[in-house]
Amino acid sequence: MLSGLDHLVVTVTDMGRAVDFYSRVLGLDVRYRDAQRVDLMLGDTALRLHQTDTDIAPISATPTPGSLDLCLRCQLPLDEFKQHLDALAIDVELGPVARQGANGPIESIYLRDPDGNLLEICRPASR
């Protein structure tokens, strides 16, 4: 029946700050849909940003900045990605640590976006 994820809405308090973080820190491509919606592309899937003070309908029952816990796959070795974060003065909360991903063992690091959302950045575990 279902075949994948098209987009996931991320509620943010400051659109410009969120776009800067996700594009500069995480390297996502930015697509402006209109004045109130921005898509951050992950391959053929989008993180769609909605700012808290906009009137977009329909929305979730309780759209709350900082409530997201999201795991994103990384193409770089995590040590290289961590060096990138260090160069940008982005704090890593935890990792690298071993975890279980959707398709098997992964190694992950954890950080937060400007709204406090928890972002897990992962790679398949070395065997």
Side-chain angles (χ1 to χ4, degrees), residues 31-112:
R31 289 190 189 162
Y32 291 91
R33 294 173 37 78
D34 56 39
Q36 297 180 337
R37 288 179 289 206
V38 176
D39 285 351
L40 302 162
M41 300 308 298
L42 285 162
D44 64 353
T45 301
L47 296 182
R48 181 161 295 162
L49 302 181
H50 287 189
Q51 190 163 306
T52 54
D53 59 357
T54 58
D55 188 22
I56 297 174
I59 59 173
S60 62
T62 313
T64 307
S67 64
L68 186 66
D69 183 340
L70 182 64
C71 182
L72 302 169
R73 293 186 197 115
C74 184
Q75 295 176 336
L76 296 174
L78 288 184
D79 290 343
E80 284 183 39
F81 189 75
K82 189 169 181 319
Q83 289 172 2
H84 165 73
L85 295 174
D86 290 345
L88 296 173
I90 303 296
D91 292 331
V92 172
E93 286 196 16
L94 181 64
V97 293
R99 294 290 189 250
Q100 183 65 32
N103 296 300
I106 57 175
E107 293 177 328
S108 299
I109 58 174
Y110 293 84
L111 60 138
R112 295 200 182 265

